[in-house]
């Protein structure tokens, strides 16, 4: 494999920095899913922690490197689709940092409420995630504080990559890993470790048809931006891929597939009914990919990373409906 | 503390026998619950494993001790309210044992389906859990196979007690632990370890008003049997406490409280809406206890053991309803 921006030794070292509450998350086979999907599905469960997503693996790394000057608390700002902001607020609070999160007004209320509850300053913008990115960058420039750019900043990728270390340590191994694809931190992080240490495991990225920018970019091997996104998978809805992240993704992903909204909802329902798991739409992308291409996965053992579980209760009830 | 039947050294040794997939389960604070409950609530999550309950900690111990004779697979039988049977089937399957589970026809279909799917022989009886206990004992006598008696057999208690070891290792510590009370394996197991190693932590057992036999027995310090149970918390619905288990419970429990069905349902909804957790009714008993006595817990840090997450999807949708 050509070298990505990530470094396996640094990723191993990251385990010593990240609060153990976010490490060594459950990894187990959900046998009750198998009859419905035609393949063995194990989950890597990233929702059973204080922020209900994998993002704190990265924010623990970011914040561990920040120290204040002149007796003032260090400050940090990020744009977030919701989960990064919550994780940065959690990691920053325990280290006494001054955390600002910029988010679109369209982010689920549950995620915004948690960011506020964790003592971060929350600035809402009209527009989408990419509008929030611009605003966060402006705040960083104006206030001279550290900007955390999800997927661009190596800590966000290498934090996520610690999931990969836990996957390659699993016995028995598996055939493929399904990873939600948004900005690319999770996919390049986990993909880097798998391609470095377990290259035979197929790395499959999954994105909603309604937010396909990174998948189009991966397929054309150049950055493709898109118009407004249209998906319930708020966690992965970006339209402007970052060139350096795409370069890494091109080195570690075996495939990138797009799935329909109906499949995402079906995946969420399957997780609830047959695995007892509440997942946010982004975390159901893997099951959606299996549902849309059963032949590809038939008889294989796949792992899907359940990357987040932050949902608005009302929206969740709508999605899971009544049988 | 007077000596219970349990032994802390054996409990420590049990960790080496139990499949690690059931050990070191997530323990974390669900801050979003706090505004609704008036106290800090951490969960010890026993649902993120292949059988979605804590019971495999015990069945791993039981089955590790069974070996066949004359080249035949060892056989084992248990009565189960659903979760023990599923766990015994899982542990028995991986060791090539011949597993029979006796259960009431009233056990949730999801639990029965999983027992069958795990290759156990399932025998259904008219009547309740105590009827199933009689039938399992009869099978054991007639066929000469090992009977696993939940809560009476020390392995079931000491397996559950490994949860206690994980709780006392937690930093920071907490003020009270809320434990679902049914037959008593979980309560005496966790209670034994806490009272041995962290005696200041209050051990509070919680049972439904509709299945109060063990609580009445604990309060009167003698076995009290009751008429038919009436609760959705199927996992803890027994009416004939076991004397030896009551004796242990009297040594380790600081309190035993009864809660209403409406509070159990409110607890399940809170877990879903504010923690993103699917729990079965028995696992919501702890939140129900807080809801019914807020003053008692105000400002304290409590842990509740989320002991199981096996629910029938239709029933679960009914319970969580629409907001």
């Amino acid at each position: 494999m050509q070298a990505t921006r990530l470094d396996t030794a640094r990723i191993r070292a990251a385990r010593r920095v990240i609060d153990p509450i976010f490490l060594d998350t459950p990894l187990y086979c959900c046998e009750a899913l198998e009859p419905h999907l035609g393949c063995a599905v194990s989950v890597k469960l990233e929702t059973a922690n204080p922020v209900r997503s994998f993002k704190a693996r990265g924010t623990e790394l970011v914040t561990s490197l920040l120290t204040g000057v002149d007796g003032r608390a260090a400050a940090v700002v990020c744009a977030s689709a919701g989960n990064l902001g919550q994780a940065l607020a959690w990691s920053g609070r325990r280290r006494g940092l001054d955390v600002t999160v910029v988010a679109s007004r369209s982010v689920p209320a549950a995620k915004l409420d948690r960011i506020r509850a964790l003592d971060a300053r929350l600035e809402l913008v009209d527009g989408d995630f990419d509008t929030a990115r611009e605003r966060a960058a402006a705040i960083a420039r104006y206030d001279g504080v550290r900007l955390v750019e999800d997927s661009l900043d190596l800590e966000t990728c290498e934090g996520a990559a610690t999931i990969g270390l836990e996957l390659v340590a699993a016995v028995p191994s598996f055939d493929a890993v399904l990873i939600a694809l948004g900005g690319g931190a999770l996919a390049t992080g986990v993909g880097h470790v798998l391609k470095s240490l377990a290259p035979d495991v197929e790395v499959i990225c999954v994105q909603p048809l309604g937010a396909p920018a990174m998948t189009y970019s991966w397929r054309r091997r150049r950055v493709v931006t898109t118009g407004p996104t249209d998906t319930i998978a708020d966690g992965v809805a970006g339209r402007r891929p970052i060139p350096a992240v795409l370069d890494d993704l091109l080195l570690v992903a075996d495939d990138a597939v797009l799935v329909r909204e109906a499949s995402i909802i079906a995946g969420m329902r399957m997780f609830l009914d047959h695995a007892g798991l509440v997942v946010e739409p982004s975390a159901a992308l893997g099951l959606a990919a299996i549902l849309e291409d059963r032949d590809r996965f038939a008889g294989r053992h796949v792992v899907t990373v359940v990357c987040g579980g932050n949902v608005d209760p009302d929206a969740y009830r709508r999605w899971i409906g009544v049988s």
Side-chain angles (χ1 to χ4, degrees), chain A:
Chain A
M1 183 178 80
Q2 280 181 265
T4 69
R5 298 177 303 145
L6 283 65
D7 180 83
T8 305
R10 265 200 318 259
I11 296 165
R12 290 191 200 281
R15 281 183 55 89
R16 296 195 293 273
V17 173
I18 299 168
D19 189 310
I21 209 163
F22 300 108
L23 295 174
D24 300 320
T25 53
L27 171 63
Y28 61 99
C29 190
C30 295
E31 284 187 49
L33 287 170
E34 189 164 345
H36 303 276
L37 294 169
C39 59
V41 176
S42 286
V43 295
K44 182 62 173 164
L45 191 69
E46 294 294 311
T47 62
N49 66 52
V51 301
R52 291 164 60 178
S53 85
F54 75 97
K55 292 282 188 183
R57 294 181 186 249
T59 58
E60 286 286 286
L61 274 187
V62 168
T63 55
S64 71
L65 302 170
L66 290 174
T67 47
V69 286
D70 303 334
R72 289 187 313 173
V76 59
V77 60
C78 76
S80 174
N83 284 340
L84 180 73
Q86 188 179 161
L88 187 63
W90 193 94
S91 294
R93 185 182 63 176
R94 84 179 183 108
R95 292 179 177 83
L97 307 181
D98 176 12
V99 176
T100 300
V101 177
V102 185
S104 160
R105 287 186 204 285
S106 65
V107 166
K111 292 180 176 178
L112 299 179
D113 289 345
R114 292 310 306 149
I115 293 167
R116 288 189 194 97
L118 289 164
D119 301 336
R121 186 170 351 131
L122 178 64
E123 182 172 323
L124 297 178
V125 296
D126 297 317
D128 61 8
F129 174 67
D130 292 288
T131 315
R133 269 170 71 189
E134 289 164 16
R135 176 62 188 148
I139 290 173
R141 279 194 306 272
Y142 187 81
D143 293 346
V145 302
R146 164 70 192 270
L147 173 67
V148 179
E149 285 216 69
D150 203 0
S151 306
L152 179 60
D153 286 7
L154 275 182
E155 296 90 342
T156 64
C157 304
E158 293 184 344
T162 57
I163 296 172
L165 293 179
E166 296 168 26
L167 291 178
V168 298
V171 177
S173 189
F174 36 83
D175 302 310
V177 60
L178 295 162
I179 311 175
L181 179 61
L186 183 62
T188 58
V190 174
H192 169 90
V193 172
L194 286 168
K195 286 302 156 192
S196 302
L197 304 177
D200 292 342
V201 176
E202 195 178 9
V203 174
I204 304 171
C205 304
V206 191
Q207 210 163 31
L209 268 166
M214 190 57 117
T215 297
Y216 287 167
S217 301
W218 182 86
R219 290 179 182 170
R220 295 176 200 169
R221 305 186 68 83
R222 63 173 177 78
V223 168
V224 176
T225 59
T226 64
T229 61
D230 182 18
T231 177
I232 60 168
D234 53 272
V236 295
R239 54 189 165 80
R240 290 190 212 157
I242 298 170
V245 183
L246 173 61
D247 289 345
D248 287 345
L249 194 69
L250 285 166
L251 296 172
V252 302
D254 293 301
D255 201 358
V257 302
L258 296 170
V259 296
R260 295 186 297 273
E261 296 296 291
S263 306
I264 297 171
I265 291 173
M268 294 177 73
R269 292 180 65 140
M270 276 197 176
F271 268 129
L272 174 65
D273 290 347
H274 306 298
L277 296 175
V278 176
V279 309
E280 62 181 85
S282 307
L285 288 165
L287 288 204
I290 300 171
L291 286 168
E292 293 199 8
D293 196 356
R294 287 167 183 271
D295 289 348
R296 176 176 187 170
F297 299 102
R300 301 174 76 194
H301 183 185
V302 305
V303 173
T304 185
V305 181
V306 176
C307 52
N310 285 297
V311 289
D312 274 340
D314 291 344
Y316 187 71
R317 282 183 171 77
R318 266 199 317 279
W319 291 325
I320 62 165
V322 276
S323 307

